[in-house]
Amino acid sequence: MGVQYTGGPIVYDTAVPSTSSAIFRSALDAIISEVAIAAVGVAGGMKYTLQSPDGLQMKVWIQDLGDAGPFFTSAIRITPTSEDEARSGPYALLVYGTGLTYEAWANEAGFFVAVVGDTSTENNFGCAILSPPSVSSPCNVDATAPTVTELWCSSAGNSGGGQVNWRNSRYCSNGFALSYNGTLIDLSSALGFLWLTPLCESNNADWQYGSPGEIARYTSGTGLRIDPLVSIGPQIYGQLWDAHYYTLPQTVDSISSLTDTDDAGQPMTSSWVAWNNNVPSSPTGGAGTVLGTLMLLVNTATTSLANVAY
Amino acid sequence: MGLIDNIGAVPFSASKAFSSVITQPKFSAWTIEMVKDTLVSAGWTLSSSLPATTTISYPTGFPSFAGTGSGVVGCGGNALVITTATRSFRFCPYVAGQSPNGAGGPCIQFALGTSPSASLTNLCGAISTTPGLPYTATLTTSPELVITLTANTAGPFSNFDTVVADGRFGTTNGTILGGGYVLASTGPSPYSFAIYGQVGVDEQGIQFDFTMGPSGHTGICSYYLGTNGVIEYTIAANPYSFALFDGVTSLRSIASFAPDVLTSEGFTSAYCVFVVGPNGLTDRLLWQGISSISLDAAPITLGDSLRGPQALLLRAGGVPAVTLNGQPLLTAAYAMMAPDYTSAPSVVGKLWDCQVVTKTLDVGGTYQTGGRNYVVIASQDGTNAYTPASLLFCVDDNGQ
């Protein structure tokens, strides 16, 4: 398919202060407000409505409800919900007042927050409306495309301490949710974890204790860039907007300048941030994000993104 | 080239072929014949035809008779018995002066000469001129006396004819082998293989000798494929690859591939050929059995290493991945391998005419998608959290 460009604004801020709840929430508000189609006050904060180019929606709630973080810290709460607020995913608690500097990424269809350069703590959150396969996509070559009215997912870092999430892995093992056409799937559904789908060997490439999977890379040493397909268990639901998946591990928060091609065949250069990272458990492969890195578009391309045909 | 690798784009060759043969007398020969016909149909070149041969050695010489005998003789001691598919030919000696076949026996008699080589020359003459015996015999005398039997018709159908020597002077392995063909692929990574009859453990099998490698670094990698218990062999082929299997057990399968190394898609231009040997192909997509790889270097043969060649896929642990409409995912068959044991493997190209589908299917079964027909040449389930998937080989571009 290729990158699903929203063509809309993208905000990437690596200097989000967290000196206080108000300052933290205000900084996040400034970011998400640039991409949200609505913002409404709620107890302790605001709720924001995101809408993808497909017209699918979800909400992100950013609140101070007096939550405590680890070791006597305080935290704000970010909660993903369906547009009708009938379904909600696990919330993330992001610590403030301890000198942490956060970064946040937002587009029309997604919102990601984490501590700058940090993959070890649980202060991170990510949610996104997914792009389902288009009617003409290869996924629908042998069957009719389903009608999609709701499709979003989320990864919260704090739920179930010690678990992996989309900041330090390609999958979220605990604080995840995915809502599809009125049905919310989470850990209690026992259908599997929230995955970014890697292109890899056919053996159990996730088995880091045995024979970790080989990393897929070209002979030149570069990795493959594939669609950022999101799945739970065997079900692949769609792909993230303004994102792709790179088969090599990358330094978290590192920026790559890459070239894509627009529908006129013209090159367009854009920058991408490596959102997640894990240390390979062997030089050639291993568990977690060594089977792939989530790359998020952080600036508009040098040619018109509106010209991209997707 | 766009930013995203087009994992859905499959390189399709210009010609494809697909055949099968069921077990029958001379099954090995019919399988070899099928492989030849199918590959030629798919664009391979028939480089040569190999006659079946065997040798009979006479390290201690052979009887001779310098005098003159008399009387009528019948079948004496057997000097040689050649058994074809239809009958046996028994060669017996007599001495000069005697009248052969006086007893009216079934043997074919030849005169002993005045020296061992003269006797064997007469035997060769008798073999080569016997009506209905499709062999030519030639004698070499140095470093020892050796008769070479060569089938008059090249190809596999004389394989497994048998030869029994007298046991006192002549020794032979007893089976006539080696009849078959040499076939050469086309494309930027050309390779060839000889396919001929070979005896296995209580079975009539097929030998494959692959000659592969870039110029100046070629090598031969040999594989044996048995026939015992095989009900049917099926082959799918294109100008660069073939897969031969019985659809029942991975033991009865072999395949070779020269992936499409398309530099415009990010692959590094390289000579690349690999062979997946028996007990490797059909029940997995990471071929950890015996395989051979030539990746810009002389070929190496791997054993039970985890470093075998493989086809990549979109991972789903244990349960077949599906799209929102419940369909399996189809991707091009990216081939990944390393040129040796120490190098990191890399993605070297895409398998021609092949797709990976995230579904467990019966090997040998057919699959239709995108207006093309495929045959399943490998498949694995989700045991041990492997990704359930199958490797499809396109055999027909023209619809379902």
Side-chain angles (χ1 to χ4, degrees):
Chain A
M1 292 252 316
V3 175
Q4 293 284 73
Y5 292 106
T6 60
I10 290 173
V11 184
Y12 178 52
D13 188 339
T14 59
V16 177
S18 66
T19 47
S20 70
S21 168
I23 290 173
F24 194 6
R25 286 183 289 113
S26 175
L28 294 177
D29 175 81
I31 293 167
I32 196 170
S33 292
E34 290 196 37
V35 298
I37 61 170
V40 176
V42 294
M46 301 283 286
K47 59 181 179 184
Y48 306 87
T49 301
L50 302 178
Q51 177 174 296
S52 74
D54 291 329
L56 304 179
Q57 295 183 350
M58 70 172 298
K59 287 181 179 176
V60 181
W61 301 51
I62 301 177
Q63 299 166 281
D64 182 351
L65 298 178
D67 291 300
F71 302 109
F72 309 107
T73 58
S74 298
I76 66 168
R77 178 186 298 197
I78 303 183
T79 308
T81 73
S82 57
E83 187 279 333
D84 62 4
E85 303 175 12
R87 293 164 297 286
S88 62
Y91 57 79
L93 296 177
L94 306 185
V95 170
Y96 65 85
T98 62
L100 295 175
T101 299
Y102 284 81
E103 61 180 332
W105 180 94
N107 68 358
E108 295 176 358
F111 182 56
F112 288 74
V113 187
V115 176
V116 173
D118 174 48
T119 61
S120 61
T121 70
E122 298 167 345
N123 296 304
N124 62 79
F125 172 82
C127 69
I129 302 167
L130 302 180
S131 170
S134 67
V135 172
S136 60
S137 85
C139 293
N140 293 315
V141 68
D142 295 318
T144 303
T147 299
V148 180
T149 58
E150 179 197 18
L151 185 57
W152 58 268
C153 66
S154 64
S155 165
N158 67 288
S159 296
Q163 302 298 316
V164 294
N165 54 66
W166 273 7
R167 185 62 169 172
N168 59 22
S169 175
R170 69 175 181 82
Y171 55 91
C172 182
S173 64
N174 195 298
F176 67 87
L178 185 143
S179 197
Y180 172 52
N181 285 356
T183 300
L184 187 123
I185 302 167
D186 58 17
L187 187 63
S188 66
S189 306
L191 294 175
F193 301 148
L194 184 71
W195 277 19
L196 287 162
T197 308
L199 184 71
C200 63
E201 68 179 47
S202 57
N203 286 0
N204 184 359
D206 292 302
W207 181 243
Q208 67 268 41
Y209 307 109
S211 301
E214 307 280 9
I215 294 175
R217 74 185 92 205
Y218 289 113
T219 307
S220 63
T222 61
L224 282 72
R225 299 185 187 280
I226 63 173
D227 297 330
L229 302 176
V230 174
S231 62
I232 289 183
Q235 180 69 65
I236 295 179
Y237 288 90
Q239 71 178 78
L240 299 171
W241 290 91
D242 295 324
H244 71 271
Y245 201 48
Y246 188 50
T247 59
L248 295 188
Q250 298 286 278
T251 301
V252 71
D253 295 344
S254 61
I255 301 293
S256 300
S257 179
L258 303 170
T259 301
D260 203 351
T261 305
D262 66 14
D263 63 348
Q266 297 302 308
M268 54 182 192
T269 302
S270 52
S271 296
W272 302 76
V273 60
W275 188 257
N276 59 355
N277 179 262
N278 198 351
V279 178
S281 50
S282 83
T284 58
T289 56
V290 296
L291 291 176
T293 302
L294 174 59
M295 307 291 288
L296 300 176
L297 180 67
V298 295
N299 70 350
T300 53
T302 53
T303 61
S304 171
L305 278 171
N307 209 22
V308 178
Y310 288 117
Chain B
M1 177 181 172
L3 175 64
I4 302 300
D5 293 291
N6 195 345
I7 64 173
V10 178
F12 286 106
S13 68
S15 59
K16 304 162 183 67
F18 177 58
S19 299
S20 63
V21 60
I22 60 173
T23 186
Q24 57 188 288
K26 288 190 173 287
F27 184 41
S28 166
W30 284 112
T31 302
I32 292 171
E33 199 72 5
M34 175 189 69
V35 170
K36 181 259 295 182
D37 290 344
T38 306
L39 264 58
V40 169
S41 175
W44 289 59
T45 300
L46 176 60
S47 300
S48 62
S49 300
L50 307 173
T53 66
T54 196
T55 58
I56 307 104
S57 298
Y58 297 89
T60 61
F62 191 78
S64 59
F65 187 75
T68 301
S70 62
V72 176
V73 297
C75 297
N78 298 327
L80 201 66
V81 178
I82 302 173
T83 302
T84 69
T86 55
R87 59 164 290 196
S88 289
F89 298 85
R90 177 182 173 190
F91 294 89
C92 302
Y94 67 95
V95 298
Q98 291 180 318
S99 299
N101 283 336
C107 61
I108 302 160
Q109 294 190 315
F110 65 97
L112 291 178
T114 56
S115 67
S117 63
S119 295
L120 292 176
T121 297
N122 291 343
L123 174 57
C124 288
I127 293 171
S128 300
T129 58
T130 296
L133 179 59
Y135 285 95
T136 297
T138 57
L139 177 70
T140 55
T141 59
S142 178
E144 63 181 16
L145 296 168
V146 175
I147 289 177
T148 299
L149 279 182
T150 303
N152 292 338
T153 302
F157 287 99
S158 292
N159 291 326
F160 309 111
D161 286 353
T162 59
V163 178
V164 177
D166 65 276
R168 290 175 298 166
F169 301 98
T171 62
T172 178
N173 67 11
T175 305
I176 299 172
L177 298 170
Y181 303 101
V182 176
L183 295 148
S185 75
T186 59
S189 296
Y191 64 105
S192 65
F193 70 93
I195 178 172
Y196 54 91
Q198 180 62 280
V199 67
V201 179
D202 295 328
E203 68 175 355
Q204 298 179 356
I206 303 166
Q207 182 82 14
F208 294 79
D209 292 339
F210 289 90
T211 300
M212 55 201 227
S215 179
H217 300 279
T218 58
I220 297 176
C221 303
S222 296
Y223 290 88
Y224 170 81
L225 189 68
T227 59
N228 268 3
V230 176
I231 303 299
E232 179 181 36
Y233 266 128
T234 297
I235 186 170
N238 62 33
Y240 322 103
S241 323
F242 78 89
L244 176 68
F245 52 89
D246 78 341
V248 177
T249 168
S250 185
L251 182 64
R252 305 305 195 198
S253 65
I254 190 169
S256 65
F257 299 93
D260 184 17
V261 183
L262 204 57
T263 55
S264 62
E265 290 197 13
F267 301 110
T268 299
S269 178
Y271 179 95
C272 180
V273 172
F274 67 96
V275 177
V276 182
N279 209 22
L281 175 69
T282 58
D283 59 3
R284 70 201 78 166
L285 276 71
L286 197 174
W287 296 300
Q288 295 170 339
I290 297 176
S291 60
S292 299
I293 294 172
S294 177
L295 183 54
D296 252 358
I300 62 167
T301 295
L302 306 172
D304 58 355
S305 168
L306 293 174
R307 306 294 294 278
Q310 58 180 302
L312 301 181
L313 43 66
L314 294 170
R315 172 151 176 72
V319 183
V322 293
T323 63
L324 277 180
N325 54 24
Q327 297 298 304
L329 284 87
L330 287 153
T331 54
Y334 279 85
M336 189 164 86
M337 66 198 74
D340 51 55
Y341 279 103
T342 57
S343 300
S346 60
V347 181
V348 300
K350 293 177 177 177
L351 302 184
W352 287 95
D353 302 320
C354 289
Q355 292 207 67
V356 174
V357 60
T358 58
K359 189 174 187 178
T360 303
L361 300 166
D362 290 334
V363 171
T366 57
Y367 192 93
Q368 295 81 35
T369 183
R372 288 184 165 90
N373 292 343
Y374 296 79
V375 63
V376 181
I377 65 171
S379 189
Q380 65 180 39
D381 60 25
T383 303
N384 297 321
Y386 286 16
T387 296
S390 301
L391 182 59
L392 311 176
F393 196 117
C394 182
V395 295
D396 183 3
D397 290 326
N398 298 318
Q400 307 169 26

